[in-house]
Amino acid sequence: MIRFVTGATAFALSIQMAHADQIELSLLPELVGYEGEVETNTDGIPIFRLCTGSRGFDYNRIAHVIAASADPDIVDVEVINIGGSWSQLGALSDNRCDGAIIQRDAGVVASQIGAGISELILQGAELHPEFFISVCTRDGSANEFSDMQGRDDTVVIVGSVDADGFTGSGTAVTIRGFQAEDRGYTRPTFRYAENLMMAARMIAGGQGDCLAMTSGLGSQAWAEMDARYGEQLRIVEADDGDFNDTRDLGGDRLYEFMDIPGSTETLSNLLVWREGRSPTDRQTVMMRAVYVSRLDYPAQEAADEVGFAAERAAVDFDLKNYGLRQQ
């Protein structure tokens, strides 16, 4: 069980952020507890607000799988599109959501920046694998993500910020974790893009050297990116041995290294696992996405049903989309 105790003040982030000691993540909003009874639908069934990522990515897809498989006589699961893992933690904190699908490293980074750990958020099912995917220009000098260490002249496009300077990006969370393990990763300039397609356009147009994205494989967004920019960009490895030292909140190793498809160095190979072929060539950091829920959600039977649905979805989603687990 993990809890994030958060402050009310948010750090402002600059779109053109200069070199900094570390990426500054906005503080999560002040914790808001439940008051009164849980909201119900017209049939008197408890509503469970499940926050998830943007449309076109695996967080969103698996959230709808969970919602569809939960017993409607016990719980009415409402899927709310929030965005990255950090935004979802914020939505849990200020009681806009009852559950969420986040990166496993988000809790680690929250702890590193001073968020307290106690009894608010329960970690449930481990879901699909999330990969740290670094994509660079085809004619650039970077052959792996570690080439960006200590490079003041390198620009990396990562995540996004909103009008108030808040970043909800899970990718920024992961890089913040990398920086805690190796300060060489504080030297590149990190800039932000509205979405993955905009980041790809910036890289292809010479406004940056690489983009980084913590993501599942085979999503619609990656397919669209490949269709437009696949001939100009290539995947590079991210297998720095320092990452292997990172531990989760329970003291276990947080990251694994795993190959992703890349034999022809085109982004279309990100779709290979869904076609049943073997992954090759591009080794990178992998972790599991996790389903988490608030422990103070009032309707316990409804909360349990969503947790059971997440467990079922974890197996089904992996077998159909990645083939990493055996029945």
Side-chain angles (χ1 to χ4, degrees):
M1 292 184 290
I2 59 176
R3 182 168 85 102
F4 304 97
V5 179
T6 60
T9 304
F11 287 115
L13 284 169
S14 169
I15 295 294
Q16 302 292 327
M17 188 169 75
H19 309 303
D21 287 341
Q22 288 181 316
I23 282 182
E24 290 184 351
L25 291 170
S26 306
L27 292 182
L28 303 178
E30 192 70 38
L31 178 65
V32 177
Y34 274 94
E35 293 183 2
E37 299 295 324
V38 66
E39 183 183 357
T40 60
N41 64 17
T42 55
D43 295 322
I45 304 298
I47 295 173
F48 187 97
R49 301 161 298 171
L50 177 59
C51 281
T52 188
S54 304
R55 292 180 176 88
F57 289 98
D58 283 343
Y59 281 5
N60 188 275
R61 294 165 58 207
I62 199 168
H64 283 280
V65 171
I66 292 171
S69 62
D71 188 337
D73 293 329
I74 298 176
V75 63
D76 181 355
V77 180
E78 177 185 355
V79 176
I80 304 173
N81 301 313
I82 292 291
S85 292
W86 206 246
S87 290
Q88 291 188 63
L89 286 178
L92 284 169
S93 237
D94 64 15
N95 202 13
R96 285 177 287 151
C97 296
D98 307 310
I101 298 169
I102 63 172
Q103 296 167 198
R104 193 159 157 245
D105 60 356
V108 175
V109 172
S111 176
Q112 290 170 348
I113 69 174
I117 303 299
S118 53
E119 299 297 320
L120 176 64
I121 296 178
L122 174 68
Q123 180 172 306
E126 290 195 348
L127 304 172
H128 61 280
E130 294 269 281
F131 296 83
F132 180 78
I133 303 170
S134 183
V135 177
C136 303
T137 54
R138 186 169 294 280
D139 57 357
S141 61
N143 292 310
E144 54 188 60
F145 190 72
S146 60
D147 289 340
M148 300 168 211
Q149 291 186 82
R151 291 281 303 276
D152 293 333
D153 59 344
T154 299
V155 175
V156 181
I157 311 298
V158 51
S160 62
V161 290
D162 63 20
D164 297 321
F166 183 89
T167 179
S169 164
T171 307
V173 170
T174 299
I175 290 181
R176 174 65 185 249
F178 291 171
Q179 291 174 336
E181 296 296 336
D182 189 330
R183 291 188 61 82
Y185 291 105
T186 65
R187 297 292 296 278
T189 297
F190 293 97
R191 294 181 179 169
Y192 300 89
E194 181 179 346
N195 51 46
L196 179 64
M197 193 64 69
M198 180 62 72
R201 184 185 306 170
M202 293 170 70
I203 298 300
Q207 298 177 54
D209 299 284
C210 300
L211 68 84
M213 182 80 176
T214 302
S215 171
L217 303 181
S219 67
Q220 177 184 349
W222 283 110
E224 292 176 357
M225 180 177 167
D226 172 48
R228 295 192 190 184
Y229 302 108
E231 295 304 316
Q232 297 167 266
L233 306 174
R234 63 192 172 109
I235 304 163
V236 301
E237 293 191 333
D239 57 354
D240 190 323
D242 287 335
F243 303 159
N244 215 24
D245 298 331
T246 307
R247 300 289 166 169
D248 65 14
L249 294 172
D252 297 322
R253 184 166 288 167
L254 176 62
Y255 299 128
E256 300 175 48
F257 293 128
M258 185 170 287
D259 287 343
I260 60 174
S263 58
T264 61
E265 296 189 346
T266 60
L267 293 179
S268 59
N269 283 286
L270 284 171
L271 306 178
V272 166
W273 278 12
R274 295 183 67 195
E275 297 169 4
R277 291 180 245 157
S278 299
T280 57
D281 287 344
R282 294 295 177 268
Q283 191 174 77
T284 191
V285 165
M286 186 276 282
M287 62 189 152
R288 289 279 174 179
V290 293
Y291 164 75
V292 297
S293 60
R294 287 182 56 130
L295 284 173
D296 61 351
Y297 179 75
Q300 189 60 56
E301 183 182 8
D304 289 344
E305 176 59 22
V306 181
F308 297 148
E311 291 283 358
R312 294 191 295 270
V315 175
D316 185 64
F317 198 77
D318 257 5
L319 289 172
K320 289 183 178 179
N321 293 279
Y322 292 100
L324 295 182
R325 294 183 181 176
Q326 299 297 318
Q327 286 181 302

